[in-house]
C-alpha cells in the first residue's frame, strides 16, 4: 500500500514519511486492551491487561533521543511498566497490518509478547477474532471526521476495533523479589484497539473505554475522548463518543452537531452528559487503581499521566421524546479504562 493512501487507514503506521529526527518531534502508539470473561476467571471478576507499543522521535535539538517502547498496564493493581527499545528495533507492515518492537508482535489477529526487566518477565500469546471497526461515513477515514485531514493537529486518534473476542494468556513474572508468577487466562475475553499519533498528547483530556457490560444485554462497547485542542492560535474542546449496542453505533462528536451539556469532576467521580437532537447519553465514572504511564511531549516520552484499567462506569442512552426521555440502554462496566488528565475545568461546557 502506498503512502498516498495511508491516511485513509488510521491503524497503519503513519510515520514512515517522517524524517528520522522530525523538527517538531513525532510519536505513534497503539493501545491493545484485553479483559477477561468474568464467568471463566478466578474470583468471577473482569481483569484488564493492556499493552502499548510505539515509537518516539524527539524534536530537533532535544536532549531526548529516538526510541521505541512497549508499556504494560495491569488493571487489577494499577501496576504499569515501561520497556524501552532502540528506534531501530521498531518496524511496521501494512498488508497485513503488524507492528514489531524487538521480538514483540502486535496485529489485528492477536499479539505475541516476551518482555523482561528488573521486575520480572512478561509473556503473552493472544488471539483476536471478530474485530469491529467503527463505521467510516464517507468521506471521512476515521473517528475524527473532517479533522482527520487537518495537517496541523498536534494529535490524531484512530480506533481499529471497538470490540472483539480474545483467547490466550498473559503471564506476569514475580521478578527478583521472588513473588509468585501470575497467569491470566483469556477464554472468550473481550478486546479493544485504538491508536494516537502526532507531536504531543493534548494539555487536558478525559478518556473512557469499556466493553465488558452484563452479558445478558449482548455485546456492547463504549468510548469517549474529550480534549482541549489547539486550533489556529486558539483552543476548542473537541470530543468523540461511540456507543455500540445491538450491532448499531450511536455517535456523538463535535462534527456531528452534538454537544457536551454537563461535565463535573470531584477528584474521584466524573459525571457527563452528551446530547444531540435525537439522543442523550449520561455517563458516570468512578476511578479505581491508577498507574503512571509515559506520554509524549514534542515526540519525547517524558510526560507522566495516570490511567486506571479497572474503573466502574455506567452508561445510559435515552431517546428524546417531547418533555420526557425514553430509556434505551442502561448498563455498567467494572473494568473500564479511564484517564483524567490536566485541567478538567477547561473541558467543561
Amino acid at each position: 500500500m502506498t503512502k498516498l493512501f495511508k491516511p485513509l487507514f488510521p491503524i497503519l503506521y503513519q510515520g514512515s514519511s517522517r524524517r528520522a529526527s522530525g523538527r517538531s518531534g513525532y510519536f505513534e502508539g497503539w493501545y491493545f486492551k484485553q479483559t477477561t470473561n468474568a464467568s471463566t476467571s478466578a474470583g468471577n471478576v473482569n481483569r484488564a491487561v493492556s499493552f502499548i507499543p510505539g515509537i518516539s522521535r524527539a524534536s530537533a535539538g532535544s536532549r531526548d533521543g529516538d526510541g521505541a517502547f512497549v508499556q504494560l498496564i495491569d488493571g487489577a493493581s494499577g501496576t504499569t511498566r515501561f520497556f524501552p527499545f532502540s528506534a531501530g528495533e521498531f518496524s511496521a507492515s501494512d498488508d497485513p497490518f503488524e507492528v514489531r518492537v524487538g521480538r514483540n508482535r502486535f496485529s489485528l489477529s492477536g499479539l505475541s509478547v516476551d518482555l523482561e526487566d528488573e521486575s520480572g518477565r512478561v509473556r503473552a500469546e493472544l488471539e483476536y477474532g471478530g474485530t469491529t471497526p467503527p463505521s467510516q461515513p464517507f468521506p471521512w477515514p476515521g473517528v475524527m471526521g473532517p479533522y482527520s485531514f487537518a495537517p496541523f493537529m498536534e494529535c490524531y486518534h484512530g480506533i481499529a476495533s471497538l470490540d472483539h473476542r480474545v483467547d490466550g494468556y498473559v503471564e506476569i513474572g514475580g521478578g527478583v523479589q521472588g513473588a509468585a508468577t501470575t497467569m491470566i487466562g483469556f477464554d472468550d475475553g473481550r478486546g479493544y484497539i485504538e491508536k494516537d499519533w502526532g507531536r504531543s498528547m493534548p494539555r487536558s483530556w478525559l478518556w473512557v473505554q469499556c466493553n465488558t457490560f452484563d452479558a445478558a444485554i449482548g455485546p456492547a462497547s463504549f468510548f469517549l475522548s474529550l480534549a482541549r485542542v489547539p486550533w489556529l492560535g486558539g483552543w476548542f474542546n473537541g470530543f468523540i463518543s461511540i456507543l455500540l449496542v445491538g450491532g448499531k453505533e450511536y455517535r456523538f462528536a463535535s462534527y456531528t452537531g452534538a454537544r457536551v451539556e454537563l461535565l463535573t469532576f470531584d477528584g474521584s467521580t466524573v459525571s457527563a452528559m452528551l446530547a444531540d437532537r435525537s439522543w442523550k447519553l449520561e455517563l458516570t465514572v468512578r476511578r479505581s487503581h491508577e498507574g503512571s504511564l509515559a506520554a509524549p511531549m514534542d515526540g519525547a516520552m517524558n510526560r507522566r499521566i495516570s490511567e486506571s484499567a479497572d474503573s466502574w462506569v455506567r452508561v445510559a442512552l435515552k431517546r428524546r421524546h417531547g418533555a420526557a426521555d425514553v430509556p434505551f440502554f442502561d448498563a455498567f462496566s467494572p473494568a473500564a479504562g479511564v484517564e483524567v488528565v490536566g485541567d478538567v475545568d477547561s473541558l467543561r461546557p
Side-chain angles (χ1 to χ4, degrees), residues 278-319:
S278 302
W279 300 92
K280 285 185 178 179
L281 188 145
E282 298 174 354
L283 176 70
T284 303
V285 178
R286 297 174 187 164
R287 295 195 297 175
S288 188
H289 301 98
E290 290 187 313
S292 179
L293 290 176
M297 181 176 294
D298 291 329
M301 301 295 291
N302 54 18
R303 181 183 179 187
R304 306 303 299 184
I305 66 166
S306 295
E307 178 177 326
S308 168
D310 67 340
S311 290
W312 183 93
V313 170
R314 179 187 177 188
V315 180
L317 182 67
K318 300 177 180 180
R319 184 190 294 275

mmCIF file of all heavy atoms in Angstrom, residues 278-319:
data_model
loop_
_atom_site.group_PDB
_atom_site.id
_atom_site.type_symbol
_atom_site.label_atom_id
_atom_site.label_comp_id
_atom_site.label_asym_id
_atom_site.label_seq_id
_atom_site.Cartn_x
_atom_site.Cartn_y
_atom_site.Cartn_z
ATOM 1 N N SER A 278 -31.615 13.948 18.801
ATOM 2 C CA SER A 278 -32.417 12.740 18.999
ATOM 3 C C SER A 278 -32.106 11.969 20.275
ATOM 4 O O SER A 278 -32.972 11.253 20.787
ATOM 5 C CB SER A 278 -32.231 11.790 17.805
ATOM 6 O OG SER A 278 -32.587 12.410 16.594
ATOM 7 N N TRP A 279 -30.885 12.113 20.793
ATOM 8 C CA TRP A 279 -30.432 11.262 21.881
ATOM 9 C C TRP A 279 -29.715 12.040 22.981
ATOM 10 O O TRP A 279 -29.141 13.097 22.731
ATOM 11 C CB TRP A 279 -29.477 10.188 21.356
ATOM 12 C CG TRP A 279 -30.068 9.288 20.332
ATOM 13 C CD1 TRP A 279 -30.036 9.452 18.975
ATOM 14 C CD2 TRP A 279 -30.798 8.088 20.568
ATOM 15 N NE1 TRP A 279 -30.685 8.421 18.353
ATOM 16 C CE2 TRP A 279 -31.168 7.559 19.306
ATOM 17 C CE3 TRP A 279 -31.177 7.389 21.723
ATOM 18 C CZ2 TRP A 279 -31.889 6.386 19.172
ATOM 19 C CZ3 TRP A 279 -31.890 6.208 21.581
ATOM 20 C CH2 TRP A 279 -32.249 5.726 20.317
ATOM 21 N N LYS A 280 -29.757 11.480 24.188
ATOM 22 C CA LYS A 280 -28.940 11.939 25.308
ATOM 23 C C LYS A 280 -28.152 10.748 25.843
ATOM 24 O O LYS A 280 -28.683 9.642 25.953
ATOM 25 C CB LYS A 280 -29.805 12.507 26.433
ATOM 26 C CG LYS A 280 -30.392 13.880 26.167
ATOM 27 C CD LYS A 280 -31.131 14.378 27.402
ATOM 28 C CE LYS A 280 -31.692 15.771 27.177
ATOM 29 N NZ LYS A 280 -32.448 16.256 28.365
ATOM 30 N N LEU A 281 -26.907 10.989 26.167
ATOM 31 C CA LEU A 281 -26.071 9.949 26.764
ATOM 32 C C LEU A 281 -25.540 10.455 28.099
ATOM 33 O O LEU A 281 -24.899 11.501 28.164
ATOM 34 C CB LEU A 281 -24.922 9.565 25.838
ATOM 35 C CG LEU A 281 -24.099 8.352 26.284
ATOM 36 C CD1 LEU A 281 -23.641 7.541 25.076
ATOM 37 C CD2 LEU A 281 -22.876 8.770 27.113
ATOM 38 N N GLU A 282 -25.839 9.709 29.165
ATOM 39 C CA GLU A 282 -25.397 10.067 30.507
ATOM 40 C C GLU A 282 -24.300 9.105 30.944
ATOM 41 O O GLU A 282 -24.414 7.889 30.758
ATOM 42 C CB GLU A 282 -26.568 10.021 31.481
ATOM 43 C CG GLU A 282 -27.667 11.027 31.127
ATOM 44 C CD GLU A 282 -28.894 10.880 32.003
ATOM 45 O OE1 GLU A 282 -28.944 9.914 32.809
ATOM 46 O OE2 GLU A 282 -29.816 11.709 31.881
ATOM 47 N N LEU A 283 -23.253 9.647 31.542
ATOM 48 C CA LEU A 283 -22.068 8.866 31.902
ATOM 49 C C LEU A 283 -21.664 9.155 33.340
ATOM 50 O O LEU A 283 -21.589 10.318 33.751
ATOM 51 C CB LEU A 283 -20.910 9.229 30.967
ATOM 52 C CG LEU A 283 -19.547 8.593 31.243
ATOM 53 C CD1 LEU A 283 -19.588 7.108 30.936
ATOM 54 C CD2 LEU A 283 -18.464 9.283 30.412
ATOM 55 N N THR A 284 -21.410 8.090 34.101
ATOM 56 C CA THR A 284 -20.858 8.212 35.451
ATOM 57 C C THR A 284 -19.631 7.325 35.551
ATOM 58 O O THR A 284 -19.678 6.146 35.170
ATOM 59 C CB THR A 284 -21.877 7.787 36.520
ATOM 60 O OG1 THR A 284 -23.072 8.564 36.382
ATOM 61 C CG2 THR A 284 -21.311 7.995 37.924
ATOM 62 N N VAL A 285 -18.534 7.881 36.043
ATOM 63 C CA VAL A 285 -17.255 7.168 36.130
ATOM 64 C C VAL A 285 -16.725 7.249 37.550
ATOM 65 O O VAL A 285 -16.632 8.351 38.113
ATOM 66 C CB VAL A 285 -16.209 7.770 35.169
ATOM 67 C CG1 VAL A 285 -14.876 7.047 35.301
ATOM 68 C CG2 VAL A 285 -16.705 7.744 33.735
ATOM 69 N N ARG A 286 -16.385 6.112 38.143
ATOM 70 C CA ARG A 286 -15.722 6.075 39.446
ATOM 71 C C ARG A 286 -14.356 5.443 39.255
ATOM 72 O O ARG A 286 -14.247 4.249 38.976
ATOM 73 C CB ARG A 286 -16.555 5.274 40.448
ATOM 74 C CG ARG A 286 -17.914 5.886 40.734
ATOM 75 C CD ARG A 286 -18.754 4.989 41.610
ATOM 76 N NE ARG A 286 -20.112 5.500 41.757
ATOM 77 C CZ ARG A 286 -21.136 4.774 42.199
ATOM 78 N NH1 ARG A 286 -20.943 3.502 42.539
ATOM 79 N NH2 ARG A 286 -22.341 5.300 42.296
ATOM 80 N N ARG A 287 -13.330 6.245 39.425
ATOM 81 C CA ARG A 287 -11.970 5.763 39.163
ATOM 82 C C ARG A 287 -11.505 4.800 40.252
ATOM 83 O O ARG A 287 -11.848 4.938 41.418
ATOM 84 C CB ARG A 287 -11.006 6.942 39.060
ATOM 85 C CG ARG A 287 -11.284 7.834 37.868
ATOM 86 C CD ARG A 287 -10.123 8.753 37.584
ATOM 87 N NE ARG A 287 -9.866 9.688 38.676
ATOM 88 C CZ ARG A 287 -8.845 10.539 38.705
ATOM 89 N NH1 ARG A 287 -7.981 10.539 37.709
ATOM 90 N NH2 ARG A 287 -8.677 11.366 39.704
ATOM 91 N N SER A 288 -10.664 3.847 39.835
ATOM 92 C CA SER A 288 -10.117 2.858 40.764
ATOM 93 C C SER A 288 -8.590 2.905 40.726
ATOM 94 O O SER A 288 -8.008 3.988 40.618
ATOM 95 C CB SER A 288 -10.653 1.471 40.403
ATOM 96 O OG SER A 288 -10.298 0.534 41.390
ATOM 97 N N HIS A 289 -7.926 1.723 40.784
ATOM 98 C CA HIS A 289 -6.462 1.680 40.806
ATOM 99 C C HIS A 289 -5.887 2.431 39.606
ATOM 100 O O HIS A 289 -6.270 2.177 38.471
ATOM 101 C CB HIS A 289 -5.967 0.229 40.750
ATOM 102 C CG HIS A 289 -6.469 -0.621 41.875
ATOM 103 N ND1 HIS A 289 -7.553 -1.463 41.733
ATOM 104 C CD2 HIS A 289 -6.036 -0.756 43.156
ATOM 105 C CE1 HIS A 289 -7.767 -2.093 42.883
ATOM 106 N NE2 HIS A 289 -6.857 -1.686 43.757
ATOM 107 N N GLU A 290 -4.941 3.312 39.872
ATOM 108 C CA GLU A 290 -4.310 4.067 38.791
ATOM 109 C C GLU A 290 -2.811 3.796 38.751
ATOM 110 O O GLU A 290 -2.163 3.622 39.784
ATOM 111 C CB GLU A 290 -4.543 5.575 38.966
ATOM 112 C CG GLU A 290 -5.978 5.996 38.727
ATOM 113 C CD GLU A 290 -6.127 7.510 38.731
ATOM 114 O OE1 GLU A 290 -5.584 8.153 39.643
ATOM 115 O OE2 GLU A 290 -6.782 8.033 37.814
ATOM 116 N N GLY A 291 -2.286 3.767 37.537
ATOM 117 C CA GLY A 291 -0.856 3.616 37.341
ATOM 118 C C GLY A 291 -0.323 4.763 36.508
ATOM 119 O O GLY A 291 -1.077 5.449 35.816
ATOM 120 N N SER A 292 0.981 4.960 36.564
ATOM 121 C CA SER A 292 1.620 6.057 35.840
ATOM 122 C C SER A 292 2.151 5.577 34.495
ATOM 123 O O SER A 292 2.899 4.602 34.425
ATOM 124 C CB SER A 292 2.773 6.626 36.676
ATOM 125 O OG SER A 292 3.431 7.667 35.985
ATOM 126 N N LEU A 293 1.748 6.263 33.425
ATOM 127 C CA LEU A 293 2.194 5.945 32.073
ATOM 128 C C LEU A 293 3.067 7.060 31.525
ATOM 129 O O LEU A 293 2.904 8.233 31.893
ATOM 130 C CB LEU A 293 0.998 5.766 31.135
ATOM 131 C CG LEU A 293 0.111 4.537 31.317
ATOM 132 C CD1 LEU A 293 -1.056 4.620 30.348
ATOM 133 C CD2 LEU A 293 0.899 3.257 31.102
ATOM 134 N N ALA A 294 3.969 6.703 30.610
ATOM 135 C CA ALA A 294 4.728 7.704 29.865
ATOM 136 C C ALA A 294 3.887 8.181 28.695
ATOM 137 O O ALA A 294 3.232 7.391 28.019
ATOM 138 C CB ALA A 294 6.039 7.106 29.359
ATOM 139 N N ALA A 295 3.877 9.492 28.464
ATOM 140 C CA ALA A 295 3.113 10.083 27.368
ATOM 141 C C ALA A 295 4.012 11.061 26.617
ATOM 142 O O ALA A 295 4.982 11.598 27.171
ATOM 143 C CB ALA A 295 1.874 10.796 27.902
ATOM 144 N N PRO A 296 3.712 11.318 25.336
ATOM 145 C CA PRO A 296 4.603 12.141 24.510
ATOM 146 C C PRO A 296 4.406 13.641 24.685
ATOM 147 O O PRO A 296 3.286 14.125 24.866
ATOM 148 C CB PRO A 296 4.227 11.716 23.083
ATOM 149 C CG PRO A 296 2.781 11.348 23.194
ATOM 150 C CD PRO A 296 2.619 10.728 24.545
ATOM 151 N N MET A 297 5.507 14.361 24.593
ATOM 152 C CA MET A 297 5.509 15.816 24.525
ATOM 153 C C MET A 297 6.591 16.208 23.522
ATOM 154 O O MET A 297 7.763 15.920 23.723
ATOM 155 C CB MET A 297 5.788 16.450 25.891
ATOM 156 C CG MET A 297 5.785 17.977 25.891
ATOM 157 S SD MET A 297 6.012 18.670 27.545
ATOM 158 C CE MET A 297 4.497 18.135 28.339
ATOM 159 N N ASP A 298 6.179 16.815 22.423
ATOM 160 C CA ASP A 298 7.091 17.107 21.309
ATOM 161 C C ASP A 298 7.845 15.851 20.887
ATOM 162 O O ASP A 298 9.047 15.884 20.610
ATOM 163 C CB ASP A 298 8.068 18.221 21.689
ATOM 164 C CG ASP A 298 7.379 19.572 21.822
ATOM 165 O OD1 ASP A 298 6.385 19.803 21.104
ATOM 166 O OD2 ASP A 298 7.817 20.385 22.649
ATOM 167 N N GLY A 299 7.134 14.747 20.857
ATOM 168 C CA GLY A 299 7.697 13.484 20.399
ATOM 169 C C GLY A 299 8.365 12.645 21.472
ATOM 170 O O GLY A 299 8.401 11.425 21.358
ATOM 171 N N ALA A 300 8.911 13.269 22.501
ATOM 172 C CA ALA A 300 9.639 12.537 23.541
ATOM 173 C C ALA A 300 8.681 12.017 24.609
ATOM 174 O O ALA A 300 7.754 12.712 25.012
ATOM 175 C CB ALA A 300 10.693 13.436 24.183
ATOM 176 N N MET A 301 8.915 10.804 25.078
ATOM 177 C CA MET A 301 8.037 10.172 26.062
ATOM 178 C C MET A 301 8.456 10.575 27.478
ATOM 179 O O MET A 301 8.819 9.738 28.309
ATOM 180 C CB MET A 301 8.079 8.653 25.896
ATOM 181 C CG MET A 301 7.657 8.166 24.519
ATOM 182 S SD MET A 301 5.916 8.506 24.154
ATOM 183 C CE MET A 301 5.107 7.380 25.287
ATOM 184 N N ASN A 302 8.390 11.860 27.778
ATOM 185 C CA ASN A 302 8.853 12.332 29.081
ATOM 186 C C ASN A 302 7.769 13.017 29.908
ATOM 187 O O ASN A 302 8.061 13.747 30.850
ATOM 188 C CB ASN A 302 10.058 13.270 28.909
ATOM 189 C CG ASN A 302 9.771 14.419 27.946
ATOM 190 O OD1 ASN A 302 8.605 14.719 27.652
ATOM 191 N ND2 ASN A 302 10.816 15.065 27.453
ATOM 192 N N ARG A 303 6.509 12.794 29.575
ATOM 193 C CA ARG A 303 5.395 13.300 30.373
ATOM 194 C C ARG A 303 4.758 12.129 31.098
ATOM 195 O O ARG A 303 4.686 11.027 30.563
ATOM 196 C CB ARG A 303 4.368 13.981 29.468
ATOM 197 C CG ARG A 303 3.164 14.574 30.189
ATOM 198 C CD ARG A 303 2.174 15.157 29.181
ATOM 199 N NE ARG A 303 1.004 15.719 29.829
ATOM 200 C CZ ARG A 303 -0.069 16.172 29.184
ATOM 201 N NH1 ARG A 303 -0.098 16.143 27.854
ATOM 202 N NH2 ARG A 303 -1.103 16.657 29.850
ATOM 203 N N ARG A 304 4.298 12.357 32.323
ATOM 204 C CA ARG A 304 3.662 11.293 33.089
ATOM 205 C C ARG A 304 2.169 11.579 33.245
ATOM 206 O O ARG A 304 1.766 12.696 33.570
ATOM 207 C CB ARG A 304 4.291 11.165 34.480
ATOM 208 C CG ARG A 304 5.802 10.983 34.491
ATOM 209 C CD ARG A 304 6.261 9.789 33.695
ATOM 210 N NE ARG A 304 5.728 8.523 34.194
ATOM 211 C CZ ARG A 304 6.067 7.334 33.697
ATOM 212 N NH1 ARG A 304 6.929 7.258 32.683
ATOM 213 N NH2 ARG A 304 5.558 6.231 34.190
ATOM 214 N N ILE A 305 1.355 10.561 32.979
ATOM 215 C CA ILE A 305 -0.081 10.660 33.180
ATOM 216 C C ILE A 305 -0.539 9.432 33.956
ATOM 217 O O ILE A 305 0.212 8.475 34.120
ATOM 218 C CB ILE A 305 -0.838 10.743 31.839
ATOM 219 C CG1 ILE A 305 -0.680 9.428 31.051
ATOM 220 C CG2 ILE A 305 -0.363 11.929 31.014
ATOM 221 C CD1 ILE A 305 -1.635 9.285 29.895
ATOM 222 N N SER A 306 -1.784 9.467 34.441
ATOM 223 C CA SER A 306 -2.334 8.337 35.190
ATOM 224 C C SER A 306 -3.463 7.698 34.399
ATOM 225 O O SER A 306 -4.254 8.381 33.757
ATOM 226 C CB SER A 306 -2.868 8.800 36.552
ATOM 227 O OG SER A 306 -1.812 9.272 37.369
ATOM 228 N N GLU A 307 -3.526 6.365 34.461
ATOM 229 C CA GLU A 307 -4.625 5.631 33.848
ATOM 230 C C GLU A 307 -5.083 4.522 34.768
ATOM 231 O O GLU A 307 -4.270 3.843 35.391
ATOM 232 C CB GLU A 307 -4.226 5.045 32.498
ATOM 233 C CG GLU A 307 -5.368 4.212 31.867
ATOM 234 C CD GLU A 307 -5.044 3.675 30.481
ATOM 235 O OE1 GLU A 307 -4.338 4.384 29.740
ATOM 236 O OE2 GLU A 307 -5.498 2.560 30.159
ATOM 237 N N SER A 308 -6.381 4.354 34.831
ATOM 238 C CA SER A 308 -6.973 3.220 35.520
ATOM 239 C C SER A 308 -7.535 2.274 34.477
ATOM 240 O O SER A 308 -8.105 2.703 33.477
ATOM 241 C CB SER A 308 -8.106 3.688 36.447
ATOM 242 O OG SER A 308 -8.869 2.586 36.906
ATOM 243 N N ALA A 309 -7.389 0.982 34.698
ATOM 244 C CA ALA A 309 -7.933 -0.016 33.769
ATOM 245 C C ALA A 309 -9.033 -0.848 34.412
ATOM 246 O O ALA A 309 -9.525 -1.799 33.803
ATOM 247 C CB ALA A 309 -6.826 -0.921 33.250
ATOM 248 N N ASP A 310 -9.429 -0.493 35.652
ATOM 249 C CA ASP A 310 -10.497 -1.254 36.315
ATOM 250 C C ASP A 310 -11.489 -0.316 37.002
ATOM 251 O O ASP A 310 -12.011 -0.612 38.071
ATOM 252 C CB ASP A 310 -9.930 -2.262 37.311
ATOM 253 C CG ASP A 310 -9.263 -1.584 38.511
ATOM 254 O OD1 ASP A 310 -8.902 -0.388 38.390
ATOM 255 O OD2 ASP A 310 -9.112 -2.235 39.559
ATOM 256 N N SER A 311 -11.773 0.817 36.382
ATOM 257 C CA SER A 311 -12.745 1.752 36.934
ATOM 258 C C SER A 311 -14.180 1.274 36.675
ATOM 259 O O SER A 311 -14.436 0.450 35.786
ATOM 260 C CB SER A 311 -12.556 3.144 36.318
ATOM 261 O OG SER A 311 -11.361 3.734 36.780
ATOM 262 N N TRP A 312 -15.113 1.804 37.449
ATOM 263 C CA TRP A 312 -16.537 1.491 37.294
ATOM 264 C C TRP A 312 -17.186 2.573 36.449
ATOM 265 O O TRP A 312 -17.017 3.766 36.717
ATOM 266 C CB TRP A 312 -17.195 1.423 38.661
ATOM 267 C CG TRP A 312 -18.654 1.041 38.665
ATOM 268 C CD1 TRP A 312 -19.172 -0.215 38.797
ATOM 269 C CD2 TRP A 312 -19.779 1.926 38.562
ATOM 270 N NE1 TRP A 312 -20.548 -0.181 38.780
ATOM 271 C CE2 TRP A 312 -20.944 1.126 38.638
ATOM 272 C CE3 TRP A 312 -19.914 3.302 38.410
ATOM 273 C CZ2 TRP A 312 -22.236 1.663 38.565
ATOM 274 C CZ3 TRP A 312 -21.189 3.842 38.329
ATOM 275 C CH2 TRP A 312 -22.338 3.033 38.410
ATOM 276 N N VAL A 313 -17.909 2.162 35.422
ATOM 277 C CA VAL A 313 -18.548 3.122 34.513
ATOM 278 C C VAL A 313 -19.996 2.704 34.280
ATOM 279 O O VAL A 313 -20.287 1.526 34.033
ATOM 280 C CB VAL A 313 -17.804 3.176 33.162
ATOM 281 C CG1 VAL A 313 -18.605 3.973 32.132
ATOM 282 C CG2 VAL A 313 -16.435 3.808 33.336
ATOM 283 N N ARG A 314 -20.889 3.683 34.343
ATOM 284 C CA ARG A 314 -22.290 3.470 33.973
ATOM 285 C C ARG A 314 -22.604 4.330 32.757
ATOM 286 O O ARG A 314 -22.286 5.522 32.725
ATOM 287 C CB ARG A 314 -23.226 3.836 35.110
ATOM 288 C CG ARG A 314 -24.719 3.654 34.748
ATOM 289 C CD ARG A 314 -25.628 4.172 35.831
ATOM 290 N NE ARG A 314 -27.039 4.066 35.434
ATOM 291 C CZ ARG A 314 -28.037 4.584 36.140
ATOM 292 N NH1 ARG A 314 -27.798 5.236 37.275
ATOM 293 N NH2 ARG A 314 -29.291 4.458 35.704
ATOM 294 N N VAL A 315 -23.232 3.724 31.754
ATOM 295 C CA VAL A 315 -23.608 4.417 30.522
ATOM 296 C C VAL A 315 -25.114 4.266 30.331
ATOM 297 O O VAL A 315 -25.645 3.156 30.372
ATOM 298 C CB VAL A 315 -22.876 3.827 29.297
ATOM 299 C CG1 VAL A 315 -23.271 4.568 28.026
ATOM 300 C CG2 VAL A 315 -21.361 3.878 29.499
ATOM 301 N N ALA A 316 -25.786 5.403 30.134
ATOM 302 C CA ALA A 316 -27.235 5.381 29.905
ATOM 303 C C ALA A 316 -27.554 6.206 28.663
ATOM 304 O O ALA A 316 -27.173 7.373 28.574
ATOM 305 C CB ALA A 316 -27.984 5.933 31.109
ATOM 306 N N LEU A 317 -28.228 5.577 27.704
ATOM 307 C CA LEU A 317 -28.642 6.253 26.475
ATOM 308 C C LEU A 317 -30.157 6.406 26.489
ATOM 309 O O LEU A 317 -30.889 5.441 26.745
ATOM 310 C CB LEU A 317 -28.210 5.440 25.253
ATOM 311 C CG LEU A 317 -28.547 6.048 23.884
ATOM 312 C CD1 LEU A 317 -27.743 7.334 23.644
ATOM 313 C CD2 LEU A 317 -28.290 5.030 22.765
ATOM 314 N N LYS A 318 -30.629 7.616 26.193
ATOM 315 C CA LYS A 318 -32.056 7.905 26.203
ATOM 316 C C LYS A 318 -32.458 8.590 24.901
ATOM 317 O O LYS A 318 -31.737 9.456 24.402
ATOM 318 C CB LYS A 318 -32.414 8.808 27.384
ATOM 319 C CG LYS A 318 -32.069 8.202 28.747
ATOM 320 C CD LYS A 318 -32.368 9.157 29.883
ATOM 321 C CE LYS A 318 -32.016 8.540 31.229
ATOM 322 N NZ LYS A 318 -32.305 9.464 32.364
ATOM 323 N N ARG A 319 -33.612 8.198 24.395
ATOM 324 C CA ARG A 319 -34.153 8.842 23.199
ATOM 325 C C ARG A 319 -34.988 10.050 23.629
ATOM 326 O O ARG A 319 -35.836 9.956 24.522
ATOM 327 C CB ARG A 319 -35.020 7.867 22.402
ATOM 328 C CG ARG A 319 -35.541 8.467 21.089
ATOM 329 C CD ARG A 319 -36.574 7.549 20.464
ATOM 330 N NE ARG A 319 -36.008 6.284 20.045
ATOM 331 C CZ ARG A 319 -35.408 6.096 18.854
ATOM 332 N NH1 ARG A 319 -35.300 7.111 17.996
ATOM 333 N NH2 ARG A 319 -34.929 4.907 18.540
#
